[in-house]
Amino acid sequence: MKTEIIKVSRDCISTEDEERLMRAGEILRMGGLVAFPTETVYGLGGDAMNREACSKIYAAKGRPSDNPLIVHIGRFEDIYQIVSKLPEAAIRVSKAFWPGPLTMILPKGEKVPYEVTGGLETVAVRFPSHPMARKLIIYAGGFVAAPSANASGRPSPTTGEHVVEDMNGRIEMIVDGGQVGIGVESTILDLTVEPPRILRPGYITQEMLEALLGKVDADVTMMQDNSGETPKAPGMKYRHYAPMGKLMIVEGNPRDVGTYINRQVFLDKQAGEKTGILGTEEQLHQYRADVIKCIGSREDEEAVARNLFAALREFDQEKVTKIYAESFSTQGLGQAIMNRLLKAAGHCVIRL
Ligand code: TXA
Ligand code: MG
């Protein structure tokens, strides 16, 4: 299949942009697949009400079909067509954080095919804030199922180029809107349980949700590996985000981390490995390795979140075989950063 790649600006204001986006919407209406940017990461969209389109999404990603998809809406009122009940807490959450980087798990409405929900009686709903994404969803008919637009297992795409790497030749169209703003996927909040439970941490933090709702649980599998529990978001159980090289997180005070990593790098090089380090501005000066990536300042967690997936992909491009990453706090946005990093590392953490 030839994939058409088009560029559309984030705000989609010119007539040309508008026309291109309408064409993308038409492809979706016809049952085709279109990748597009959102404020979190790029999504791989298909018409959520079209069973065949949903099946094609799984095939294009190489994704197991028991892993449900998020339904994206472009107008709040459309939610009533896809859920059977909207609890009072969900309305409060939507007023506080929608449109924005938060997905709610709610009881599924009859119209939603089981191909979307992976056979579950619940549906994940997201109302993104990205202006172009919202327009596209409406042009597509209102309901777009969209997982992150990476090949299954790879880091989620944060630029149009990342999507081209993974999806070229597999889908009808890629809408390139440049680099996304947030860089980690939406927070997933399950509102079918009491108290509400975070299944995947994101930009809307546990602290923010607790300030609004009172007690909010976090799925125990979010930050741990061997808890023996199955994650409530089926997708969280799969190997994720992992670069091809072996990634290890090193936790400790900055000086010890530097000494440890440099010593390991020395040994790795003797063993013929290509070494990489994922670090922050504050600590970068102390490292020696083949490839050193800075993901921003410790003072600026938003930058760290935005740069994380791109850095993991770059290690692959440079064929790095051993990667050492600094560790981060698990408060606030740090929870989302560490959740992704832990998954990428297969929970391999060295505590000094
Ligand atoms: O930011 C995002 O959410 C991005 C953009 C494109 O919107 N999308 C995204 O989708 O991250 P995906 O498919 O990569 O991740 C969706 C996660 C999976 O872990 C899946 O198991 C979970 O949501 N999920 C979907 N429906 C669910 C449901 N009914 N119950 C529990 N978990 C669900
Ligand atoms: Mg994903």
Side-chain angles (χ1 to χ4, degrees):
M1 177 186 306
K2 174 142 179 51
T3 303
E4 189 181 349
I5 302 167
I6 61 168
K7 284 199 192 303
V8 178
S9 72
R10 180 181 173 279
D11 297 303
C12 184
I13 26 184
S14 70
T15 329
E16 290 82 14
D17 274 358
E18 194 76 32
E19 281 169 4
R20 289 190 195 111
L21 207 61
M22 284 167 106
R23 208 149 45 76
E26 190 56 33
I27 292 175
L28 287 165
R29 276 179 196 268
M30 303 295 288
L33 303 186
V34 176
F36 61 97
T38 77
E39 70 275 24
T40 56
V41 299
Y42 275 74
L44 170 55
D47 179 358
M49 298 302 182
N50 178 334
R51 291 163 199 276
E52 248 172 66
C54 295
S55 304
K56 284 202 275 183
I57 293 177
Y58 290 101
K61 271 186 72 94
R63 174 172 176 143
S65 62
D66 68 341
N67 187 2
L69 308 173
I70 297 175
V71 180
H72 295 66
I73 54 176
R75 290 172 295 243
F76 176 75
E77 59 274 23
D78 289 341
I79 195 171
Y80 295 102
Q81 296 190 53
I82 51 173
V83 303
S84 61
K85 205 174 116 204
L86 198 59
E88 195 265 335
I91 294 176
R92 277 167 58 203
V93 170
S94 72
K95 283 196 174 133
F97 302 114
W98 270 6
L102 177 112
T103 297
M104 288 196 262
I105 307 294
L106 293 162
K108 158 191 175 318
E110 268 176 27
K111 269 172 57 178
V112 182
Y114 285 110
E115 280 78 358
V116 170
T117 68
L120 297 173
E121 291 302 331
T122 53
V123 60
V125 189
R126 170 151 138 73
F127 179 19
S129 60
H130 194 287
M132 183 231 289
R134 281 164 63 181
K135 263 194 187 168
L136 175 60
I137 295 162
I138 291 168
Y139 290 152
F143 306 96
V144 174
S148 49
N150 51 288
S152 197
R154 295 209 74 202
S156 297
T158 54
T159 68
E161 290 84 43
H162 294 165
V163 182
V164 174
E165 266 173 42
D166 284 15
M167 290 298 150
N168 200 12
R170 298 176 153 261
I171 60 178
E172 276 76 8
M173 183 184 262
I174 296 171
V175 183
D176 185 342
Q179 192 185 6
V180 299
I182 294 177
V184 289
E185 308 87 340
S186 62
T187 307
I188 302 181
L189 182 66
D190 186 352
L191 284 150
T192 66
V193 293
E194 189 45 48
R197 177 182 291 179
I198 298 174
L199 306 186
R200 178 175 73 185
Y203 188 82
I204 306 297
T205 63
Q206 183 166 7
E207 291 84 348
M208 289 156 82
L209 291 165
E210 279 177 336
L212 181 78
L213 298 172
K215 187 168 164 45
V216 173
D217 284 341
D219 195 84
V220 287
T221 62
M222 241 164 49
M223 312 305 270
Q224 296 169 28
D225 187 24
N226 47 7
S227 60
E229 304 244 345
T230 307
K232 296 291 181 292
M236 302 306 274
K237 73 173 180 267
Y238 295 104
R239 183 167 181 266
H240 246 88
Y241 313 123
M244 290 160 200
K246 177 157 176 52
L247 171 64
M248 280 157 281
I249 303 170
V250 186
E251 198 181 290
N253 75 55
R255 193 121 61 83
D256 293 348
V257 169
T259 311
Y260 176 85
I261 292 181
N262 286 338
R263 197 179 61 222
Q264 289 307 118
V265 164
F266 178 76
L267 296 172
D268 289 339
K269 280 194 182 192
Q270 286 186 329
E273 305 275 5
K274 183 163 182 187
T275 54
I277 298 173
L278 187 65
T280 52
E281 237 164 74
E282 289 80 356
Q283 289 171 228
L284 214 65
H285 61 90
Q286 56 181 351
Y287 302 125
R288 281 182 300 278
D290 296 314
V291 180
I292 301 175
K293 299 267 169 223
C294 178
I295 47 171
S297 160
R298 288 197 163 264
E299 303 288 299
D300 184 0
E301 284 192 320
E302 299 203 0
V304 173
R306 192 162 54 239
N307 296 326
L308 178 64
F309 287 145
L312 291 176
R313 279 178 181 259
E314 283 162 24
F315 285 121
D316 282 353
Q317 262 166 1
E318 306 201 38
K319 305 209 165 27
V320 173
T321 57
K322 270 275 180 80
I323 308 159
Y324 298 90
E326 290 174 19
S327 185
F328 296 87
S329 115
T330 52
Q331 301 299 304
L333 185 54
Q335 197 177 38
I337 294 168
M338 276 310 280
N339 167 268
R340 305 314 190 272
L341 203 52
L342 282 163
K343 282 189 186 302
H347 290 267
C348 177
V349 183
I350 294 147
R351 294 195 173 83
L352 300 177

